[in-house]
Amino acid sequence: MASHDERCASCAIRHQAICGALSDEELTALNAIAHFRKVRAGQTVMADSEPSSFFGNVLSGAVKLTKMMPDGRQQIVGLLFPSDFLGRAFSPDAPYYAEAASDVELCTFPRTEFERLLKAFPTLEHRLLEHTLDELDASREWMLLLGRKNAEEKVASFLVMIARRARNVGCAGSGNLDFARFALPLSRAETADYLGLTIETVSRQITRLRARGLISLEKGRTFVVPSIRALAQVAEPNGTRLD
Amino acid sequence: MASHDERCASCAIRHQAICGALSDEELTALNAIAHFRKVRAGQTVMADSEPSSFFGNVLSGAVKLTKMMPDGRQQIVGLLFPSDFLGRAFSPDAPYYAEAASDVELCTFPRTEFERLLKAFPTLEHRLLEHTLDELDASREWMLLLGRKNAEEKVASFLVMIARRARNVGCAGSGNLDFARFALPLSRAETADYLGLTIETVSRQITRLRARGLISLEKGRTFVVPSIRALAQVAEPNGTRLD
DNA sequence: CGCGGGATTGAGCCGAATCAATGCAGGTGG
DNA sequence: CCACCTGCATTGATTCGGCTCAATCCCGCG
């Protein structure tokens, strides 16, 4: 029992995750049903066909949520980072397919037990609601990107989003807030599926941004963004032209 | 007080809306803060800049939620029909702009009072969560459309979605379930902004679908879909080729 | 009757997809 | 250690779907 509390106390992402702001009693109950789980990059976390038996918090790594059309076309509809919640409450099967984008650590909860706790503890359900609302906002932001941005803006927006997320994870206050350096958890193919583009177009746009000095690449998937602000300017050009 | 209960009792959309499954006590409290409101087509319901002071249920008509880029490009990120909930809980200003697509009737609740009731009545918050999860599912479905479907599929998907929604409103069991006939609440320009296309492309695809007999138009924005199933086949072609 | 806003249709162009080749690093076996 | 493979990324040439620009058309309305 005491060890349960300790586990949570030392949890790096507790405050942001749905466990944040829970009472001791609630936290203990939640912890009593929690299981640690690792998933290797590329492995399925939950399939959209078979009903998933659990929920979970992402502790480390990244999980991608994808939707697929019968003919194979694919779209990533969500990307989960540490402290994000995984799973579709109140519906046996999620309308998407969840896969580990990198090696992932999860704090999982069996479906039925977790839903029982949701009923028992309104605070927990409240946290889940807040979380869901944030995800809805994010997915609408992405709809704007998918529907109205061109390839260059899409890639820039994507890198800005990742850069900002990565900063939060890599601990705050580490010098320049406008600078970022991170390992992209996605391949080119996955990036393309996230942005509604093809591999080739993503690659071309990255080289163009590199040529303009807005980003640089060091071995593999590690990106350096000298100025997030400048990159964000490309992601969403404002009306003022400066030619 | 008794009149309050009566109003809800006669409400056509109560069961689907967040008011559904509330106890008498809860319903009375909610009703005590409710105000009826009409908004004319084209009018702003809530602006994304100024903090909105209320939430609401859509009683009749359709509300569109749009996002805009600094340079004017626009994307509709949500379309609300009767029984849908309007507003962003726990955040003073919604990250989008809400406008009446047609003449709209709303059942509104002042922000602070409604958030107080959410705290007081977990059942209400639970309903809101279920509703938000559904919207999240829908918006992810739309991400697939925006990112991976071509113009023809987009327009067909859109019409199928509206046709299905319209059937629910127009009362169930009215003969053929595969047939639909409805007045589109959106102009071509709005449809384009919903699908990430231009007016011209939307128009062309509609004429093509008409030529194939999959839809027909009668004066203005009234559509007839003889077979929703056949149209859905165009919206999401399955792998099996039949040439 | 003429006006005006939305919708349709047409001609040409451009950006991203497609098709195809090449590059590059990590891993494996001779 | 090097040759070879394999999976991912880059680059180039070409095509094509949807955008742009522009001309009607349609219909309600003053």
Side-chain angles (χ1 to χ4, degrees), chain B residues 13 36 57-63 80-83 102-106:
Chain B
I13 54 102
F36 182 79
N57 287 322
V58 179
L59 298 176
S60 73
V63 175
L80 304 185
F81 289 100
S83 86
S102 59
D103 286 354
V104 165
E105 294 179 314
L106 297 173

Side-chain angles (χ1 to χ4, degrees), chain B residues 100-189:
Chain B
S102 59
D103 286 354
V104 165
E105 294 179 314
L106 297 173
C107 176
T108 67
F109 314 104
R111 167 169 286 278
T112 43
E113 278 92 331
F114 184 79
E115 292 192 341
R116 191 155 35 74
L117 289 189
L118 280 179
K119 271 207 171 39
F121 301 131
T123 322
L124 182 60
E125 191 160 81
H126 177 81
R127 287 290 288 176
L128 180 58
L129 174 56
E130 280 187 327
H131 204 91
T132 308
L133 285 166
D134 286 342
E135 270 200 282
L136 183 57
D137 288 347
S139 98
R140 283 178 168 155
E141 187 68 41
W142 218 248
M143 286 173 65
L144 177 63
L145 175 143
L146 290 172
R148 290 304 182 197
K149 292 190 178 178
N150 64 24
E152 179 179 70
E153 292 161 349
K154 282 179 176 181
V155 171
S157 302
F158 171 67
L159 292 174
V160 166
M161 188 218 82
I162 300 282
R164 291 199 172 126
R165 283 258 196 176
R167 262 219 332 254
N168 293 346
V169 174
C171 162
S174 59
N176 191 349
L177 280 175
D178 200 32
F179 173 90
R181 171 206 173 94
F182 53 89
L184 200 66
L186 300 186
S187 70
R188 292 288 181 278

